[in-house]
Amino acid sequence: MGQTHIRTPKNFVLEERLERYADAIEVAPEIYRGSWAAACAPVRAASAATADDPAASPAPAAGTFDAVYLDLGCGKGAYLAACAARDPRSLYLGMDTEPICIAYAAQRIVENRLKNALVLPRSAESLARIFAPGELAGITLNFPTPFPKRKYAGKRLVNVDHLLAYRALLAPDARVTLRTDSQPLRDYALTQFEAAGYALHWVSDDVRAEHPGHPETEYEARLAAQGAAVYGICATPAAAPTPAQIQAGRDAEQSLAEYLPRDLGSLTYVPLGMEGYVVNARNRMAKGKAATPNSDARAR
Ligand SMILES: C[S@@+](CC[C@H](N)C(=O)[O-])C[C@H]1O[C@@H](n2cnc3c(N)ncnc32)[C@H](O)[C@@H]1O
């Protein structure tokens, strides 16, 4: 999982899990490009209607889902499953590069007998091969891997090039929603949404209080217990950005340390992935080696 560590039980055998929960995993998602809503609904409607599975979530009667939502970097699937359970007329797709996450998310879907959720073992880089223009009603980016170092800025799921790729796949008025424990990542993302020509619906320092409709994710629960706030952005594509606007976004691809508060002593919570940097910067400041906490960030 990028820079994060996934704990697995001792008896966890990945291949076995992937096989056991295969019904909820789409291993060839490219086949459904342009037809997710129609192609996935009839099968699920038929299986949901069987009398021997009364607890199955009701599927759409008309044989097509109303909308298709993508949870990009879905992790172990808590958010995906909660969204699918409360909105049976829509199809919820989770995408993740980490096979262990795929196995856990698929297990959750199968055990909750959700007929309107699937997981796709793919990376964000393959989105255009999996979805047609306008096919997605929304994309959620919940606690995306922050990749704080400048040299990995291209991997951030909120960088301008990723946001440009999402634009093409979104239906009119569809939203991209970021939620993160990282104020630096959120503030960096603001520059990127602007560069990619999005209009902001909201920007929040406390998503849980201000937009409580979002189910809790695994990372959210874990980081909240460590004192994290949830920062967020919700935005929709607006007028296509100019080349200069896009370039400004690329030029802003720097270390997330640039977005930390100047006074590191005031930080009560250190965002995921930035622990090492903050400890080092505090030590350097204590020894008087750096004039400001961010003075060496540009080199990273
Ligand atoms: C910090 S975890 C958050 C998981 C979940 N959204 C949550 O909030 O609990 C980030 C997830 O994004 C996945 N990820 C990172 N880069 C990705 C990419 N390019 N495409 C798809 N998934 C990615 C990782 O494998 C990981 O599971």
Side-chain angles (χ1 to χ4, degrees):
M1 188 189 291
Q3 304 164 333
T4 47
H5 175 69
I6 305 168
R7 288 184 205 93
T8 53
K10 260 190 179 162
N11 58 351
F12 186 98
V13 180
L14 180 61
E15 292 69 26
E16 205 176 87
R17 297 281 179 127
L18 291 170
E19 202 178 312
R20 196 184 316 162
Y21 303 113
D23 280 356
I25 304 171
E26 183 44 67
V27 292
E30 293 79 6
I31 292 170
Y32 294 99
R33 186 177 185 273
S35 66
W36 283 102
C40 293
V43 176
R44 284 158 211 291
S47 63
T50 54
D52 60 343
D53 195 6
S57 62
T64 183
F65 286 111
D66 289 349
V68 182
Y69 292 95
L70 174 68
D71 187 27
L72 186 52
C74 65
K76 294 181 183 176
Y79 182 89
L80 182 76
C83 289
R86 73 183 184 189
D87 179 16
R89 295 197 54 84
S90 296
L91 176 63
Y92 285 85
L93 300 174
M95 183 182 283
D96 208 289
T97 46
E98 179 54 64
I100 294 173
C101 291
I102 293 292
Y104 273 116
Q107 177 176 359
R108 198 181 283 270
I109 291 167
V110 169
E111 289 181 350
N112 286 291
R113 286 182 270 189
L114 294 165
K115 305 300 178 188
N116 60 329
L118 288 169
V119 275
L120 319 179
R122 289 290 186 280
S123 152
E125 279 60 40
S126 58
L127 283 174
R129 292 192 291 280
I130 294 173
F131 300 106
E135 191 164 19
L136 292 173
I139 298 177
T140 43
L141 305 167
N142 288 316
F143 299 83
T145 312
F147 298 108
K149 291 186 176 174
R150 183 171 60 184
K151 65 179 171 183
Y152 298 126
K155 291 177 184 266
R156 296 176 195 152
L157 293 181
V158 290
N159 79 8
V160 63
D161 291 295
H162 278 122
L163 292 174
L164 289 171
Y166 309 154
R167 275 185 75 103
L169 310 178
L170 293 169
D173 299 326
R175 298 177 173 202
V176 175
T177 307
L178 164 72
R179 299 190 311 130
T180 175
D181 67 308
S182 173
Q183 165 263 314
L185 183 67
R186 193 280 310 272
D187 290 351
Y188 159 82
L190 274 175
T191 69
Q192 304 296 291
F193 275 103
E194 189 188 337
Y198 283 66
L200 300 175
H201 288 289
W202 51 258
V203 176
S204 176
D205 285 355
D206 188 352
V207 180
R208 254 173 281 147
E210 293 170 6
H211 305 280
H214 292 274
E216 192 174 62
T217 77
E218 285 93 359
Y219 266 75
E220 181 173 0
R222 197 178 107 194
L223 300 175
Q226 296 168 20
V230 182
Y231 298 89
I233 298 173
C234 180
T236 298
T242 63
Q245 202 176 334
I246 295 169
Q247 191 54 48
R250 291 183 183 139
D251 291 345
E253 285 187 349
Q254 50 207 357
S255 164
L256 291 185
E258 291 285 346
Y259 296 86
L260 280 167
R262 308 299 290 179
D263 175 15
L264 285 183
S266 69
L267 264 193
T268 52
Y269 170 82
V270 178
L272 190 68
M274 301 197 73
E275 301 84 353
Y277 172 77
V278 171
V279 167
N280 287 342
R282 280 175 172 160
N283 286 343
R284 290 164 68 87
M285 286 178 74
K287 290 178 187 161
K289 284 189 179 166
T292 69
N294 297 342
S295 61
D296 62 345
R298 288 169 193 84
R300 287 161 186 268

